[in-house]
Amino acid sequence: MQKSTKNGALFSLCPIGKIPLVMKLAFTLIVISCLSVSALPVRSQDVKMSINLKNAAISTVLKNIEKSTPYKFVYNNNVFPANTKVSIEANSLSVAEILNNVLKNSGFTFKLLGDNMIVVTKADQRVQTQRIAGIVVDEDGIPVPGVTIRFRNDKRTSTATDANGHFGIQSADDNDVLIVSLVGFKTQEFAVKNIPSNFRIIMQSSIGSLDEVQVIGYGTTTRQLNTGSVSSISVKDIANQPVSNPLAAMQGKLAGVQITQNNGLPGSGFRVQIRGVGSIGSGTLPLYIIDGVPFTLFNGSIPATDGLNAYGISGANGGEASPLGMINPDDIERIDVLKDADATAIYGSKGANGVILITTKKGSAGKTKYSVNFYQGAGTVGHFIDMLNTQDYLAMRRGAFAASGATPSTANAPDLVTWDPTAYTNWQQKFIGGTAHTTNADFSVSGGNAQNTFLFSSNYRHDGTVYPGDFGGNIFSNRLNAGHNSEDKRFGINLNVNYAYQHNVMPSTDLTSLYNLAPNLPLYNADGSLYWHPSVTNPMAYLMRPNDNTTTNLITNMDVHYDILPGLVVKANLGYSLTGEKQTLQTPLTSLNPSTVNLAAPSNTLRYANNTISNYIVEPQLAYRRKIAKGSLDALVGSTFQRTQADGLSLTGTGFSSDALIGSINNAAAIVNNGSNNSDYKYNALFARVSYNWEDKYLVNGTFRRDGSSRFGANRRFGNFWAIGAGWIFTNESFMKDISWLSFGKLRGSYGLTGNDQIANYQSDAYYNAVGSASSYQGQSIIFPSNIPNADLHWETNKKLDAAVELGFLKDRIFLKADYFRNLSSDQLLNIVVPTQAGISSYLANFPAVVENKGFEFELSSTNIQSKNFRWTTSVNLTIQRNKILSIDQPQKLFSTYYIGQPVNAIQLYHFTGLNPATGVPTYQDMNGDGAVTFAGDRSAAPLGHPYFGGLTNSFTYKNLTLDVSFLFNHRMGYINNSSSYPLGVGLSNQNATALQRWMTAGDISVYPGVTSVSTADYSNYNSSDANWGDASFIKLKNVSLNYLLPNQWTKKIGFNTVSVFARGENLYTWAKQKYTYDPESTVSGAAPGLGTGQFIAMPQLRTTVIGLNCTF
Amino acid sequence: MKIKYNLTKVLLICIGSMGVIFTSCKKSLELDAPLNKIDASTAYTTDATATAAIGALYNYGIYGIFNTWLANLSLLGGISSDELHFSYTTTPAISEFENNLITPANGTNGTFWGSAYAELLVANAAITGITASNTLTPSVKSQLLGEAKFFRAFVNFYLVNYYGGVPLTGSDPLTSATLPRSTSAQVYASIISDLKEAQTLLPVAYVGTLKSRINQHAVTALLARVYLYQKDYVNAEAMATAVIGSGTYTLATTNSVFVNTSTETILQFATYYGYSAVATSYRTAIATATTVPPNYTLTTSVVNSFDAGDNRKINWVDSTVSGTKFYRINKYKLYTAATAGAGNEFNVILRLAEQYLIRAEARAQQNNLSGAASDVNVIRTRAGLANLSTTATATQTSILAAIAKERKVELFGELGHRWFDLLRTGQANTVLSVIKPTTWNASRSVLFPIPDQQVQQNPALTQNPGY
């Protein structure tokens, strides 16, 4: 007892004279509520004391009481007039009696609060205080820790629920409103005067609701109040899918967002397009931001890719590693995709291609929670291409020689002359017919209290391949999140540290490309040695050339904030990331044709590359919030300092005296520097946002950013970007109150200007390049003028318009969001061709061409059935978009041919007019009538049809069983047979089954040309004609997830909070019009930027099924 | 309302300080050049960087454009004349040169033109930069400026001979881009002026070993050739005499002429690996036991021009042994090497034998027939042949014919000599209209076309006649 009285000294030690009493009280109450945890309440009637003072100041009396009892007094320091003296003589009286005596005629009164606190005020001041205590539980009745409890008016008082969901808080004003909030739950408000004792608050999940927190640039809003176009997926959608890269979990889930994976091998890259391609020649990568840190591996290489590999080596997976492959999907809380000007203009010259904000999980207050998630499964290639068997293949080949009158020889037709005509190998089964094993384990521990929170998580993942041999990838990552708030909540800090290690071993070449080997190709000689023919690399050689790739990634960020004054917060975001990729590619002697190997100077090689990219960002900000009239104003100003540095080395070592020494470049007889990368990029910005919300009816949001990038020329280094967004929630108008079926209605629109800066570094100033050692002159390095400088180089301008309606029907059970958008990209950053007599053939400049992307986006979610035990929800998204070049000024100044009125990536095709029935030779329309079919004059734009894409997810819950089924679809025109090559039979390549329908004899009616062993343009043009163009639509059964949550009473018995078992399937089935490819979404890494169209042969995303277990305790 | 007042103050301070930070941003956006580049303004401030910039003239990337250009000087000239045959008619871009019927859209021709100007930009930038620099060591400055001028003359010499009058470009790319053609005479004037200056700038001594940097003799040797082409025989003889008489060079035995330690070489461009890029372009297969024809085969016109017992035929020509017999240029013998060093092969640019033949021709043109004969005989002696017969030395016409034939068998496959000899002596029409009767056109075929894309992009460029 004696000890606790020391606390009373706090008040006399802290003279807080000039601040109004109300504030002091409020401050007091905060301290009280904090102290209440430790101080045991004492009943006033239990404490009696003796006191004897004459002509003492009232404050002296009070100090005396403090010394002798556990009570503490709260009063304003100079409140008692100096001339008021009192005398008291008491023996074993209660404190209340003493005080009544002392203050009797002083004009002061007192009130005993909980926790032994006594407030002394002037008698005419009425202090209305009320202690509110209660418990917060979730919909299942489980206590929720870490819930923030605060007041609307009294901003200085707040608390959080403890580990058992309990809270206690003192209200100083009956008319205040209590606000109960936690991320992921709907925020609730209660009038203080109506709050019962032992208040029980039930939190309702906000996911999918209008109160769901929506992360936007430099802040958050809610779905209800957002004025911009944002699509999001949350932890639930991500967790359902057994993927290693969070981008894979986003496929088909978001309107306006198209994502394809280059191939299905571990570590392969992704292509992402948000609302189409705005740039003709520069990068179209979205801006990725993880917890405030921009995260990309784009290092100024051209074409723009998200791969350090631009200066490295590629193995079978292409090596164009997606940076997000280093982020464990299990660590992600939510992903928000910003699409329109309102949402993206705050990112200025980086916002044009859309922004993907990734928010990772944070620790939360409460009992320490342990979580384990484990799954294991297997993947296979879902679809093989139907190829000719040996008999049909050889018939085709013989026919080809017969048609052209050529004689098969050992040189040009070993398959007919020397190889066993009865041998047959199904190469697809042999090289990609295996099973890829996947193992994924996540472990996390999180918890904390009202002030400190933490989260540790760790992930291990192994992905095998369907190749023979020991190839695959491993990822290991650890993450720490720690947060702290000061006692008074004015200061807060949050830190994330994530380190990931990825190691992939792949063959040098994607073995998928072996699908068309001659079916009777022998692999081995009779003596067991590898068989070699000058025209064919023995496919076993590819298995001997491993590409070893080690990627490490550190990403860390710290957020700090401090409330300077009510409503005014100063904060800073400090981030750093460092990504490294080390690769080797071995070509041992044993993998080379011995007849071409010079044993005197062995041509075995090791390629070695080591690239790193580091990035820091510092963003000080100031946020201000206050009520003005009937609305609330939110303002934010901030600035950005960012720097990205990339460094890389690429070497080739040759002449290893033995293959055993090939592992290290140190053992090479000669090392050549293939050229290395070194670049530096700086970026600064000043940004501001003001938003005003009038009674949740009228919303206005203005954004401005001025930024400068080191990529731009001295004359145009800084640019201004802005946006205006507005919303009208018409269902909050009084005249809408009677329409009960429409629970929510909002109209919103935005217009603004963003930019694109994805060009190579160092284009605006004049430089001399140094190049690798192979370009030295007699051991002396050389430099040469490398570019034509352009001081006017600046961002691509992207003007975005968005108009949308959001409607909730039947208490939001059905929710529809429909957007119309139109983006105009001008000032296109392109290589301008100059006459080569200049000495350099082109330079980068802003070109007056305009590209338009416009379309409609729909997102619909509905709860179809909601009963006690069964719930069925559906969400659908659909995007219809068009890309068109509106204008090009002086198109001859461009390298490639672009067509006004056509998409940026328009494809020009010959028009197939049928086969010559007598010869089987394809014929084409001579469009310009010059008597010859030429590349330049006789092609026209491929028809586009009416493309649209989207996804459909159904979720069924019956008691503890949940089934999620997701489809994605893409309706489009495209190449319809990409694995036939014409003329059939010309080389040692097998063909797919369409070869059986080829023209064979005069008079045959067919669309597939006949065979010959001599190629002519007529045959080779066939694949570039509209004969090979048509409906290339597809639907993928992307994901099926079955989850069973073990009944609570069982899991409690074994000491777990929750235990669930699950089975998940990924890429289970594809219905594709295009049967002659593996995956309609794959592409070849390093190919032109843009989405995968399945046109190239690449490893498909695997049909993967896993089973697993998830438990928390 | 005290709070509001404070707030406004705090806000003002914060916004103000951000403004200050932001204005200081501009400066922080200035980047130093990355470690693998240097700022153009500093390229010629030190001896080391200026030397590196000149290094680019010699080796604009071993896999880069200048080596391809050097190879094409030999190959395109060779097939345009009666010297080489290109085996792969399925590659029309090259076959068109052999037919002297080059379409203006020909990609190889476009690259050939562009590469020359890429090299010229490097030379022009160096000339401008070095001239303006006042921080270079005088001897280095003189050496480097001389080398840059040599290169500008060297490239312009080939351009004017393949295309006629061409634009004389400078060091600013965008200004150069729109220039019209100069006349052939203006280009030659520029070449001679550059070479004369280079002569005074460069010392006789080579920088480094292996004669792979330009010295004064190399400039004089090229000047001798330029005067010969200009029919300035007095100066041609004088220049050739200066080189021959310097005593620096002696003819090597035929099997060691193209080794990089050859006593005969006046100038060679070193290669990184120690073998000539020109050599590897000649053939597809190294082995003689192949049925596959080499890329370029030597015509019977050349093969039959050798006198019996000519060491040059023995050492400089070989043939495939299986199936059809294909003759191949075998001057360079190395096709692979690990690293460059003494004893390997580089790209030979100027050698003593040509100087004897230049002087012989200049003397013959000045009616010094005996002087001419003695020069030719030096070459014939080295080839293991007897002196010219008295019939050959009897008249100016006969000795000029003998010199022409000697040039054909001495200089075949090297940097387009045969093509230029036919053109400058007016023999092209006579010789080639017989070999290529359907495609040869006396007025059109003597010049390559200006690439049509270039004519479109630079309206000031005019096309050569007949295209």
Side-chain angles (χ1 to χ4, degrees), chain A residues 664-676:
Chain A
S664 167
I665 192 125
N666 294 332
N667 304 330
I671 297 173
V672 173
N673 177 358
N674 302 316
S676 54

Side-chain angles (χ1 to χ4, degrees), chain A residues 988-1033:
Chain A
L988 291 167
S989 306
N990 199 1
Q991 300 289 349
N992 68 43
T994 57
L996 294 173
Q997 301 165 44
R998 67 182 183 265
W999 178 96
M1000 293 205 195
T1001 51
D1004 274 4
I1005 302 299
S1006 171
V1007 294
Y1008 298 107
V1011 294
T1012 174
S1013 68
V1014 178
S1015 181
T1016 66
D1018 285 338
Y1019 289 104
S1020 56
N1021 287 346
Y1022 184 80
N1023 272 340
S1024 307
S1025 77
D1026 54 11
N1028 185 27
W1029 187 263
D1031 187 351
S1033 307

Side-chain angles (χ1 to χ4, degrees), chain B residues 5 15 18 40 47 49 52 59 66 165 187 210 212 214 246 271 289 293 304 311 317 382 387 401 436 453 464:
Chain B
Y5 170 73
I15 292 171
M18 279 192 175
D47 290 354
T49 51
N59 187 359
F66 190 54
V187 177
L210 298 178
S212 46
I214 296 151
S246 72
T271 64
N304 296 340
N311 281 333
V317 177
R382 188 265 294 271
N387 286 348
K436 315 172 191 182
Q453 245 188 352
N464 280 326

Side-chain angles (χ1 to χ4, degrees), chain A residues 295 297 308 323 326 475-476 498-503 549-555 577-582 610-613:
Chain A
F295 189 52
L297 299 184
L308 277 175
M326 302 303 285
I475 300 180
F476 182 68
N498 182 7
Y499 190 78
Y501 162 88
Q502 182 175 25
H503 181 222
N549 187 325
T550 304
T551 312
T552 54
N553 182 51
L554 169 73
I555 178 163
S577 69
L578 174 65
T579 311
E581 186 178 34
K582 196 191 87 172
N610 197 345
N611 284 278
T612 58
I613 185 165

Side-chain angles (χ1 to χ4, degrees), chain A residues 622 624 641 676 678 680 682 684 718 762 766 768-770 773-774 776-778 781-784 833 835-838, chain B residues 7 14 21 25 28-29 31 34-38 40 44 52 56 58-59 62 113 173 176 179 212 270 272 454 457-458:
Chain A
L622 202 58
Y624 178 56
F641 302 88
S676 54
N678 189 287
D680 194 352
K682 285 183 188 171
N684 294 332
F718 284 83
Y762 304 109
Y768 272 56
N769 252 3
S773 63
S776 62
Y777 190 68
Q778 293 197 294
S781 58
I782 64 169
I783 56 171
F784 57 91
V833 176
T836 51
Q837 69 190 64
Chain B
L7 200 60
C14 291
I21 290 169
C25 283
S28 70
L29 281 179
L31 282 187
L35 305 178
N36 59 357
K37 289 175 191 282
I38 61 170
Y44 301 99
Y58 287 94
N59 187 359
I62 183 86
W113 167 273
S176 299
L179 292 177
S212 46
Y272 180 74
Q454 301 307 310
Q457 284 166 14
N458 177 13

